[in-house]
Amino acid sequence: MDRLTNPVRPYAWGSATAIPHLLGVEPTGEPQAEMWMGAHPGAPSGTDRGPLNQVIDAAPERELGPETVAKFGPHLPFLLKLLAAGAPLSLQVHPDLRQAQQGYEAEERAGIPVTAPHRNYKDANHKPELVCALTEFDGLCGFRDPEEAARLLEGLGVGSLKPYADVLRAHPEEAALREVLTAILSADRTEMAHTVTEATAAAQHLGGPYAPYADIAHHYPGDPGVIAAMLLNHVRLQPGEALFLGAGVPHAYLDGLGVEIMANSDNVLRCGLTPKHVDVPELLRIVRFEAADPNILRPEASPDGEEVYDTPIDEFRLSRHVLPASSGRHDLTAPTPQILLCTAGTVRAGELDLGPGQSVFVPAGEKAEVSGTGTIFRATVVA
């Protein structure tokens, strides 16, 4: 197995302290938003054999196993991350596989450079993702019931929000949510900024269920995404709990440290809370306008002590082992590629000692035994 050296992405929304604290190093004073573990060509992990993407490219069947290559092609299908949000991320959705393929092909035919700021589809893949909390972790996930959203908007006492509340009550769920989100994102920016300012002042005064939205507005003053966010469920995960985000589900992470895993894609359609491009017509084509309670996942324990976060896709499978001192050695050998990430204590993986935030890549079929006292997350695929 290969010890990984992992790049840290300094996105502006990142916490300056969460990842350094986990790693036991001094903060730099700059935001450290994500630590990437994988073979993404934009920021691959390093190994003693070279960048992980080049290691895999040189011998995909040896590194990934024939079953993984047959099912997903000659590349690692997932990207594992430590994600540390110190401020809200953009409100966003991801396409399903068919939508991603269609969107990518259309933009290729149109000759839009893949680096263009108004390009929506960087690749032809979908991007389901799972985030598991290591600390308390706040986020937004999926639409509220329209009646609940109407009451929340009305409670601010802002006159310009009343038409949205009326629509939410007057129409069937899908039509109501679509009409209101469309109106919010298409409104005159000056008028909407005034509405957001009024709503922010009211939210700050009211607190309680309005507190998360007041905080969002602090980071994104005047952004229409502040009002759009109020259509969504606010979720607070406890350590060990997780959220799965499927295609078309609007979401945003607000605050906290977690382990995130996703299919290897860069496709994001943004709804707001960002200075980046918002393509409203394409966004409305992708969003699933259906209300649902957030599905908070808790791991399902197997007899061997592995705790699995069950999801409906095959590009990744995330589980964890919480190892007590007396647990002995656990054999994690598998015919698929794996990344093992320690998040607490000291874990021995093969001949390598791992502390918090350290990880290894295990090629398919390579013997993988772990022991020690701590917590280790295991990322692999369903081949």
Side-chain angles (χ1 to χ4, degrees), residues 8-10 14-21 23-33:
V8 175
R9 311 295 273 179
S15 166
T17 58
I19 288 177
H21 178 75
L23 296 174
V25 300
E26 285 295 316
T28 64
E30 299 298 318
Q32 298 191 34

Side-chain angles (χ1 to χ4, degrees), residues 34 36 77-81 83 94 126-130 253 260-266 313 315-316:
E34 297 180 347
W36 288 18
F78 64 82
L79 178 64
L80 184 66
K81 300 178 180 180
L83 183 146
H94 305 302
H126 62 165
K127 193 184 178 184
E129 59 191 38
L130 175 78
Y253 302 143
E260 185 183 38
I261 189 167
M262 61 184 59
N264 221 342
S265 171
D266 292 322
I313 52 96
E315 280 87 348
F316 60 74

